[in-house]
């Protein structure tokens, strides 16, 4: 039987695969979990929602931050880098939360468990911050210790140098010590500063230990200044460490200068009396000054009386400038000044005698005239005048200065002094007796030409028609030296001199006259 065959064919239609898992129902807990996991900085939230590329970006950002931050230093991470990273984490958390809201987690299956894991992993950045702060603090400590060591090296390098050459290094070191104490109290470096300061003080003040007292003054003064600018509780015994040493240095340096004639000693004693008026050293100042005056007074009778007089004058001026009232030495110092003045005035006579004996006749004239003018009631005033006369004659006639004049006067021989000069003149004479006579100018007299005085038979004071001013004196037998000079001290004139050997039985006339060019003759 033929016929058509009929059959039925059955098949299945496979639907196409979706490009991504179907969105999950919104789950706020899951969003929170992803956001928290991203806050770890490792992108773990993206890992759980299968966003591996974004997770890698988070790890890279954290790696960059670690590269910038490590190793830790005292300044820490820059504000820009830290702010950028925090903003990045916030964005990653927000974006992760949005993604996780409708994306199922690969693991763990439950959102609350993921939240717990996220909270646990927040300890990673928090612990990192703690560890980094600790590392940063340690770096700061090391930096401060390095700063302290550099300051200590400055002090060690300055050891043995003069303070003036090392002062800048000392100041730099002190600034470091002060900054550590003020700005970083409690640091390990600040704890070590007191030991460094003790070394610092002994190094700066080393000149005192070497008994170089004058050299020690600037360094100890400096230490006393910095001590006043620092908390005494911090310094402890160092706060007063320089005081006694400085007082001793001022006294010893001033005392040495006083003995050696150094002009700086009043400054040293003045600083001592002002800064430490109640000190043991200040109490020694007046006795030291009094002893110096005593030595100078004694030296007036020694081999160098002029030097002793100058020393007394200098002492008087210097001691008068000392302010000893604070130390209770004002009255005693004033008495030293008075004693020095009196001894200097009296000693001027001894100085003039010494100058005369040494042939320093010009100096002797000045010294003796000053002495006579300033000491009217002194017992040696009259003789000082005669020594000044003899010294002035001796400048023209050196032989006149071989003997020191006495106060003797008068004699058995009459000598008449006449003036044949139009100028008032003074006749000085010395020998067995010394004195001076002033004769008025002769109104009818004129100066002689030099050539006429050389002519044979020239005799001044011989014109019977003229009335010559004259004076008769009595002199002893022996050699007398005469000097005629204009009393007014006319410039350009030259005194004239004469040496007369006087004998008994004769009458002598000493005539003064003027030649053109003003040479005085006898």
């Amino acid at each position: 039987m033929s016929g058509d065959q009929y059959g039925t064919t059955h098949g299945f239609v496979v639907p196409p695969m979706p490009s991504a898992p179907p969105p999950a129902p919104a789950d706020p807990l899951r969003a929170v979990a992803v956001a928290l996991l991203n806050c770890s900085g490792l992108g773990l939230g993206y890992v759980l929602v299968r966003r591996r590329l974004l997770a890698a970006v988070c790890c890279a950002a954290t790696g960059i931050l670690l590269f910038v931050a490590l190793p830790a230093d005292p300044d820490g991470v820059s504000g820009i880098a830290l702010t950028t990273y925090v903003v990045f984490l916030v964005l990653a958390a927000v974006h992760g939360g949005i993604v996780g809201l409708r994306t199922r987690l690969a693991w763990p299956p439950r959102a609350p468990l993921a939240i717990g894991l996220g909270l646990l992993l927040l300890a990673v950045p928090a612990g990192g911050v703690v560890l980094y702060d600790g590392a940063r603090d340690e770096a700061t400590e090391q930096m401060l210790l390095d700063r302290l060591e550099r300051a200590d090296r400055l002090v060690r390098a300055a050891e043995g140098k003069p303070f003036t050459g090392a002062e800048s290094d000392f100041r730099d070191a002190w600034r470091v010590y002060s900054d550590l104490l003020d700005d970083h109290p409690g640091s390990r470096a600040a704890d070590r500063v007191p030991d460094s300061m003790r070394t610092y003080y002994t190094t700066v003040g080393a000149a005192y230990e070497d008994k170089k007292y004058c050299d020690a003054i600037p360094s100890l003064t400096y230490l006393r200044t910095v001590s006043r600018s620092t908390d005494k509780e911090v310094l402890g015994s160092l706060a007063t460490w320089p005081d006694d040493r400085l007082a001793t240095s001022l006294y010893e340096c001033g005392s040495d200068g006083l003995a050696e004639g150094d002009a700086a000693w009043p400054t040293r004693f003045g600083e001592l009396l002002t800064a430490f008026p109640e000190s043991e050293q200040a109490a020694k100042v007046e006795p030291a000054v009094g002893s110096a005056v005593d030595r100078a007074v004694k030296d007036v009778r020694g081999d160098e009386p002029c030097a002793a007089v100058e020393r007394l004058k200098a002492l008087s001026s210097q001691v008068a400038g000392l302010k000893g009232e604070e130390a209770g030495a004002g009255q005693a110092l004033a008495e030293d000044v008075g004693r020095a003045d009196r001894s200097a005035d009296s000693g001027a006579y001894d100085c003039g005698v010494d100058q005369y004996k040494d042939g320093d006749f010009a100096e002797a004239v000045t010294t003796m005239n000053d002495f006579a003018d300033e000491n009217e009631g002194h017992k040696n005033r009259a003789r000082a005048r005669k020594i000044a006369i003899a010294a002035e004659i001796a400048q023209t006639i050196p032989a006149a200065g071989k003997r020191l004049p006495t106060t003797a006067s008068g004699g058995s021989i009459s000598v008449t002094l006449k003036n044949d000069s139009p100028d008032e003149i003074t006749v000085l004479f010395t020998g067995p007796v010394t004195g001076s006579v002033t004769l008025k100018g002769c109104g009818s007299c004129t100066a002689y030409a030099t050539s006429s005085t050389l002519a044979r038979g020239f005799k001044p004071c011989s014109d019977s028609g003229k009335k010559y001013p004259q004076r008769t004196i009595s002199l002893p037998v022996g050699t007398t030296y005469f000097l005629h000079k204009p009393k007014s001290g006319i410039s350009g004139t030259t005194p004239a001199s004469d040496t007369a050997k006087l004998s008994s039985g004769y009458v002598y006339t000493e005539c003064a006259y003027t030649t053109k060019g003003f040479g005085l003759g006898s």
Side-chain angles (χ1 to χ4, degrees), residues 9-225:
T9 303
H10 298 280
F12 297 95
V13 177
V14 180
M17 294 295 291
S19 59
D27 186 350
L29 292 179
R30 188 171 56 235
V32 172
V34 173
L36 286 174
L37 288 168
N38 275 358
C39 285
S40 67
L42 302 175
L44 294 178
Y46 286 133
V47 171
L48 296 188
V49 294
R50 293 172 292 279
R51 299 293 195 275
R52 293 180 178 83
L53 180 59
L54 292 176
V57 171
C58 288
C59 290
T62 301
I64 292 173
L65 178 66
L66 293 176
F67 178 80
V68 172
L70 297 177
D73 62 54
D75 295 330
V77 183
S78 70
I80 295 177
L82 188 60
T83 300
T84 301
Y85 182 72
V86 171
V87 170
F88 174 80
L89 284 185
V90 171
L91 292 176
V94 172
H95 181 259
I98 294 172
V99 171
L101 182 65
R102 295 183 178 277
T103 304
R104 288 185 175 88
L105 299 177
W107 184 92
R110 295 178 181 276
L113 184 60
I115 291 175
L117 181 61
L119 291 173
L120 182 63
L121 289 177
L122 283 179
V124 174
V129 170
V130 172
L131 292 174
Y132 183 77
D133 285 343
R136 181 183 175 189
D137 289 343
E138 180 60 26
T140 300
E141 289 284 1
Q142 290 300 322
M143 178 196 69
L144 296 177
L145 289 171
D146 289 343
R147 189 183 300 174
L148 176 63
E149 175 58 25
R150 287 195 297 273
D152 289 344
R153 283 200 299 269
L154 282 176
V155 175
R156 290 194 296 270
E159 187 174 3
K161 294 182 180 179
F163 176 74
T164 52
E167 182 177 359
S168 61
D169 289 340
F170 285 134
R171 290 188 180 277
D172 290 342
W174 186 262
R175 278 193 290 269
V176 172
Y177 297 152
S178 297
D179 291 344
L180 290 174
L181 291 173
D182 295 340
D183 300 337
H184 305 281
S187 65
R188 295 202 301 270
D191 292 341
R192 297 181 186 181
V193 166
D195 289 338
S196 295
M197 280 185 167
R198 280 189 284 272
T199 302
Y200 180 89
Y201 270 63
T202 55
T203 302
V204 175
Y208 174 83
E209 300 300 331
D210 295 337
K211 299 188 184 304
K212 298 177 180 178
Y213 297 112
C214 292
D215 294 340
I217 290 174
S219 58
L220 292 172
T221 300
Y222 162 76
L223 285 177
R224 191 164 184 257
T225 301

Side-chain angles (χ1 to χ4, degrees), residues 160-510:
K161 294 182 180 179
F163 176 74
T164 52
E167 182 177 359
S168 61
D169 289 340
F170 285 134
R171 290 188 180 277
D172 290 342
W174 186 262
R175 278 193 290 269
V176 172
Y177 297 152
S178 297
D179 291 344
L180 290 174
L181 291 173
D182 295 340
D183 300 337
H184 305 281
S187 65
R188 295 202 301 270
D191 292 341
R192 297 181 186 181
V193 166
D195 289 338
S196 295
M197 280 185 167
R198 280 189 284 272
T199 302
Y200 180 89
Y201 270 63
T202 55
T203 302
V204 175
Y208 174 83
E209 300 300 331
D210 295 337
K211 299 188 184 304
K212 298 177 180 178
Y213 297 112
C214 292
D215 294 340
I217 290 174
S219 58
L220 292 172
T221 300
Y222 162 76
L223 285 177
R224 191 164 184 257
T225 301
V226 297
S227 295
R228 289 198 296 264
S229 65
T230 306
D231 190 346
K232 291 185 177 180
E233 293 184 2
V234 174
L235 291 177
S237 62
L238 292 178
T240 57
W241 189 92
D243 292 352
D244 187 69
R245 291 169 173 82
L246 177 57
T248 298
S249 296
L250 287 170
Y251 173 75
E252 294 294 342
C253 181
S255 181
D256 290 344
L258 178 61
E260 297 169 4
D262 183 359
W265 72 264
T267 301
R268 303 306 182 201
F269 279 173
E271 292 173 356
L272 173 59
L273 294 173
T274 301
F276 308 100
E278 303 299 327
S279 66
E280 176 185 342
Q281 295 86 344
K284 298 178 182 178
V285 168
E286 192 284 322
V289 171
S291 295
V293 173
D294 289 340
R295 287 192 297 271
V297 171
K298 183 178 179 180
D299 289 343
V300 170
R301 303 289 186 268
D303 295 334
E304 298 292 338
C306 293
V309 168
E310 292 303 315
R311 176 72 169 142
L312 286 167
K313 290 179 179 178
L315 282 171
S316 173
S317 175
Q318 292 165 334
V319 176
L322 286 178
K323 303 299 182 183
E325 288 79 3
E326 298 88 345
Q331 182 60 38
L333 289 173
E335 292 175 0
D336 291 332
V337 171
R339 191 153 49 91
D341 286 339
R342 291 190 299 272
S343 298
D345 290 342
S346 177
Y349 174 80
D350 299 276
C351 173
V353 170
D354 188 66
Q355 291 170 334
Y356 186 92
K357 290 180 177 179
D358 290 343
D360 298 328
F361 298 120
E363 289 81 358
V365 170
T366 301
T367 301
M368 287 306 193
N369 281 332
D370 290 345
F371 171 80
D373 292 340
E374 296 169 4
N375 297 274
E376 293 185 1
H378 200 281
K379 64 179 181 178
N380 290 323
R381 183 171 184 261
R383 192 178 185 192
R385 289 289 192 198
K386 292 183 178 294
I387 293 174
I389 292 172
E392 187 168 359
I393 297 171
Q395 291 180 71
T396 302
I397 313 173
K402 289 183 177 180
R403 291 191 309 172
L404 195 66
T406 66
T407 56
S409 62
S412 60
I413 300 176
S414 294
V415 177
T416 300
L417 307 176
K418 294 184 177 182
N419 185 12
D420 190 0
S421 164
D423 301 302
E424 184 177 19
I425 66 167
T426 297
V427 179
L428 309 178
F429 57 90
T430 188
V433 298
T434 301
S436 65
V437 173
T438 297
L439 299 176
K440 293 182 179 180
C442 175
S444 58
C445 299
T446 59
Y448 292 96
T450 302
S451 57
S452 65
T453 63
L454 300 177
R456 180 179 294 179
F458 172 73
K459 291 183 179 180
C461 298
S462 59
D463 188 341
S464 59
K466 294 180 179 180
K467 188 175 181 180
Y468 301 107
Q470 62 182 23
R471 174 94 171 267
T472 299
I473 59 176
S474 298
L475 298 176
V477 173
T479 301
T480 297
Y481 304 93
F482 293 91
L483 183 73
H484 307 162
K485 66 173 187 177
K487 183 183 178 185
S488 58
I490 300 173
S491 61
T493 62
T494 302
S497 60
D498 182 32
T499 300
K501 295 183 179 181
L502 305 181
S503 302
S504 299
Y506 294 88
V507 176
Y508 295 88
T509 298
E510 185 76 12

